[in-house]
């Protein structure tokens, strides 16, 4: 960023007005920009388009829209199927999720390429329709901005879990509005550059995940052997490798842990959920040590979790401690593999009636037991793949943070496009 731009931003942040700028209701903005409410340039929640009953239209549920405000899985429906009881929109409209947590998460979209130009979707969408062709892009950017989302959170109404963004907030939201279409379009193009970079990284990330999935299929089943390993694999009952640990000799001293499908076993303090527990009841919890595995209530959905932490966990869970010499990295990947989860389900009966997955269910499963050295070699391959995935995820996070900052600067006029 050029020195003069940094200086201008610093002046504005100190409340001083640089040359070519003025004070407005939304703060200091360019002198040649207007300050407008969204309802001055757009119509909110307009009526539905008319069409024949058999006309094919686009349908978008909330799950068809991403948290990055993109359409990801458009559906096709007949007009008669969706024209009543759903939110109506048309080509180039802007959708904004109104219910929590979808609004806070960033769900929304600029809808284009609709079947026959007509769409219907979740009743939890607000629809914003630009009065002037071309303004839909700028309205869409404003609806994605951190300022819009963070401010909107404060105006949501309703009870916890059912809070919604009122339409009045959108209609009265003040924005800086460049007078020329050229500047608005240029702002969009600059931000689109970051979108393209993020999309490329996300595609690469998906490729890496698919590559790892292929490695899991080949290496964890012994279909492909790593160089230097030829000994035959043993297949033994899980109960011969892992024992059922129910250690309660801790007097309630230790951090309470939680089971998360995407993060494994983590301290309760790291989990963004409000669960109360009686400190006295913690004495009945089971002790978990780093390197243990935990069968949780959701293991039939997402596999068995690994713990890198020492702490205490609900007595409803089963703690597994290895009885023989193993590489935990090998079994960490095995227990999260799709093939293993299917096999775990095959020995569990009545799970939908609330039966807890226990040690008896698990212990009967036959597990691969390669030589320890081969387990470790395979685990290193997976660790390398995991490291590559983590690097890409971090790069995507950084790009999204950069994009967020860029939007804030461009949509307030602190930085002007050439």
């Amino acid at each position: 960023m050029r020195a003069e731009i940094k200086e201008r931003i610093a002046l504005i942040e100190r409340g001083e007005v640089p040359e070519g700028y003025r004070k407005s209701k939304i703060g200091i903005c360019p002198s040649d920009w207007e300050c407008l409410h969204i309802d001055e340039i757009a119509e909110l929640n307009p009526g539905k388009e008319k069409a024949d009953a058999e006309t094919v239209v686009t349908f978008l549920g909330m799950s068809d829209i991403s948290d990055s405000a993109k359409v990801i899985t458009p559906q096709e429906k007949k007009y008669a199927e969706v024209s009543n009881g759903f939110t109506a929109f048309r080509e180039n409209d802007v959708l904004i999720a109104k219910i929590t947590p979808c609004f806070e998460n960033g769900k929304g979209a600029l809808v284009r390429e609709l079947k026959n130009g007509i769409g219907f979707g979740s009743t939890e969408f607000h629809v914003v329709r630009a009065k002037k062709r071309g303004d839909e892009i700028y309205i869409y950017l404003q609806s994605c901005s951190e300022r819009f989302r963070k401010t909107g959170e404060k105006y949501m109404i309703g009870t916890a879990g059912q809070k919604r963004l009122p339409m009045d907030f959108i209609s009265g939201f003040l924005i800086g509005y460049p007078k020329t279409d050229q500047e608005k379009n240029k702002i969009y193009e600059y931000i689109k550059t970051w979108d393209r970079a993020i999309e490329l990284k996300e595609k690469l990330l998906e490729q890496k995940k698919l590559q790892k999935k292929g490695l899991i299929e080949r290496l964890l089943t012994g279909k492909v052997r790593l160089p230097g390993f030829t000994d035959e694999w043993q297949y033994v009952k899980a109960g011969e490798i892992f024992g059922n640990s129910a250690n309660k000799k801790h007097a309630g001293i230790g951090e309470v842990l939680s089971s998360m499908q995407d993060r494994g076993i983590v301290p309760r303090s790291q989990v963004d959920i409000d669960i109360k527990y009686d400190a006295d009841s913690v004495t009945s919890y089971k002790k978990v040590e780093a390197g243990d595995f935990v069968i949780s209530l959701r293991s039939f959905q997402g596999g068995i979790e690994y713990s890198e932490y020492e702490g205490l966990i609900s007595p409803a869970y089963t703690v597994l401690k290895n009885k023989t010499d193993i590489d935990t990295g090998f079994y960490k990947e095995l227990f999260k593999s799709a093939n293993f989860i299917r096999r775990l389900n095959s020995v569990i009966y009545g799970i939908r009636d609330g039966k807890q997955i226990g040690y008896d269910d698990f212990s009967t499963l036959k597990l691969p037991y390669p030589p320890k050295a081969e387990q470790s070699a395979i685990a290193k391959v997976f660790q390398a793949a995991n490291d590559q995935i983590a690097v890409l995820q971090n790069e995507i996070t950084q790009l999204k943070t950069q994009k967020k900052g860029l939007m804030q600067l461009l949509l307030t006029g602190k930085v002007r496009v050439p």
Side-chain angles (χ1 to χ4, degrees):
M1 187 180 293
R2 296 199 307 271
E4 62 266 29
I5 297 177
K6 290 181 179 180
E7 185 179 350
R8 181 198 307 153
I9 294 171
L11 283 171
I12 293 173
E13 289 178 349
R14 292 199 300 268
E16 300 177 35
V17 182
E19 185 179 352
Y21 284 74
R22 65 182 177 86
K23 289 186 176 181
S24 72
K25 293 180 180 179
I26 59 169
I28 297 169
C29 72
S31 299
D32 58 344
W33 281 25
E34 296 181 87
C35 183
L36 302 174
H37 296 99
I38 286 181
D39 65 0
E40 295 182 70
I41 59 171
E43 181 183 1
L44 276 73
N45 294 335
K48 65 185 176 184
E49 304 293 301
K50 299 295 184 182
D52 294 334
E54 295 299 306
T55 300
V56 177
V57 300
T58 296
F59 183 85
L60 298 174
M62 192 62 72
S63 61
D64 300 319
I65 301 295
S66 74
D67 290 348
S68 55
K70 301 286 192 303
V71 175
I72 48 176
T73 52
Q75 305 175 54
E76 293 184 4
K77 304 277 187 181
K78 290 183 178 179
Y79 184 88
E81 295 176 40
V82 293
S83 58
N84 292 310
F86 292 101
T87 299
F89 48 89
R90 73 182 187 198
E91 190 80 4
N92 293 314
D93 282 350
V94 176
L95 304 184
I96 301 171
K98 60 184 175 183
I99 192 167
T100 191
C102 298
F103 173 75
E104 299 97 309
N105 289 344
K107 279 185 176 281
L110 171 58
V111 291
R112 287 176 162 171
E113 300 181 2
L114 302 178
K115 294 294 291 185
N116 293 302
I118 299 174
F120 290 90
S122 168
T123 56
E124 299 296 352
F125 287 132
H126 281 306
V127 180
V128 184
R129 181 172 297 165
K131 294 178 180 178
K132 176 185 172 185
R133 183 73 176 89
D135 274 358
E136 68 275 1
I137 293 174
Y138 193 70
I139 294 168
Y140 166 69
L141 292 178
Q142 290 285 353
S143 75
C144 296
S145 70
E146 185 175 27
R147 173 175 165 263
F148 179 84
R149 297 284 171 166
K150 290 296 184 183
T151 308
E153 282 183 48
K154 301 173 185 176
Y155 285 84
M156 297 183 82
I157 57 177
T159 57
Q162 291 294 316
K163 287 187 175 182
R164 289 177 172 83
L165 184 75
M167 185 176 64
D168 289 349
F169 168 77
I170 302 175
S171 62
F173 188 73
L174 279 166
I175 61 173
Y177 183 78
K179 291 185 178 180
T180 69
D181 291 340
Q182 184 182 16
E183 185 168 7
K184 292 196 288 283
N185 291 335
K186 199 77 173 178
I187 289 172
Y188 177 69
E189 287 303 318
Y190 268 60
I191 294 172
K192 195 69 177 173
T193 301
W194 259 257
D195 281 335
R196 285 192 286 267
I198 292 168
E199 288 168 10
L200 286 172
K201 290 289 184 183
E202 287 177 336
K203 286 179 181 178
L204 185 55
L205 176 62
E206 289 307 309
Q207 290 173 4
K208 291 295 182 184
K209 287 181 176 179
L210 284 173
Q211 288 173 6
K212 183 188 171 185
K213 187 177 180 181
L215 286 172
I216 287 174
E217 171 64 23
R218 295 191 298 273
L219 293 179
L220 291 180
T221 59
K223 290 179 181 178
V224 172
R225 306 290 295 277
L226 293 176
F229 297 100
T230 58
D231 291 347
E232 188 174 346
W233 285 19
Q234 296 181 54
Y235 286 84
V236 301
K237 287 186 177 180
E240 296 179 38
I241 307 175
F242 296 94
N244 183 7
S245 176
N247 180 5
K248 297 182 181 179
K249 296 178 181 179
H250 48 71
I253 299 172
E255 187 162 16
V256 176
L257 306 176
S258 286
S259 173
M260 306 290 288
Q261 283 185 25
D262 58 338
R263 295 167 57 194
I265 305 301
V266 296
R268 179 74 59 84
S269 59
Q270 294 183 16
V271 180
D272 190 22
I273 52 176
D274 185 21
I275 298 178
K276 305 294 184 185
Y277 56 90
D278 183 355
D280 292 334
S281 70
V282 174
T283 56
S284 68
Y285 279 33
K286 297 176 182 178
K287 186 170 183 178
V288 175
E289 295 181 323
D292 289 347
F293 290 91
V294 175
I295 304 176
S296 74
L297 295 167
R298 294 182 295 275
S299 289
F300 71 98
Q301 295 176 326
I304 296 173
E305 308 300 341
Y306 176 75
S307 181
E308 295 180 351
Y309 298 91
E310 181 178 310
L312 312 177
I313 203 158
S314 167
Y317 294 164
T318 299
V319 180
L320 302 174
K321 192 176 292 291
N322 60 291
K323 298 159 61 175
T324 60
D325 191 20
I326 64 169
D327 188 298
T328 53
F330 177 87
Y331 288 95
K332 183 179 177 181
E333 295 293 343
L334 177 72
F335 289 157
K336 299 296 285 184
S337 66
N339 182 52
F340 173 79
I341 295 169
R342 285 194 296 269
R343 293 178 58 224
L344 183 63
N345 276 314
S346 71
V347 298
I348 296 170
Y349 302 98
I351 186 65
R352 287 175 178 78
D353 297 325
K355 179 183 176 184
Q356 169 65 39
I357 300 170
Y359 182 73
D360 290 341
D361 299 312
F362 166 77
S363 64
T364 60
L365 285 172
K366 285 283 187 75
L367 300 181
Y369 187 63
K372 171 71 180 303
E374 189 169 1
Q375 291 180 32
S376 298
I378 292 171
K380 285 181 180 177
V381 173
F382 288 130
Q383 186 58 55
N386 290 336
D387 290 344
Q388 291 176 350
I389 288 170
V391 167
L392 285 170
Q393 288 172 330
N394 184 54
E395 288 175 349
I396 290 168
T397 299
Q398 289 182 13
L399 283 170
K400 287 182 176 179
T401 300
Q402 291 169 7
K403 177 192 169 185
K404 186 185 295 185
L406 179 69
M407 287 180 67
Q408 176 69 12
L409 294 172
L410 291 175
L411 294 176
T412 57
K414 291 179 180 178
V415 171
R416 303 291 297 273
V417 294

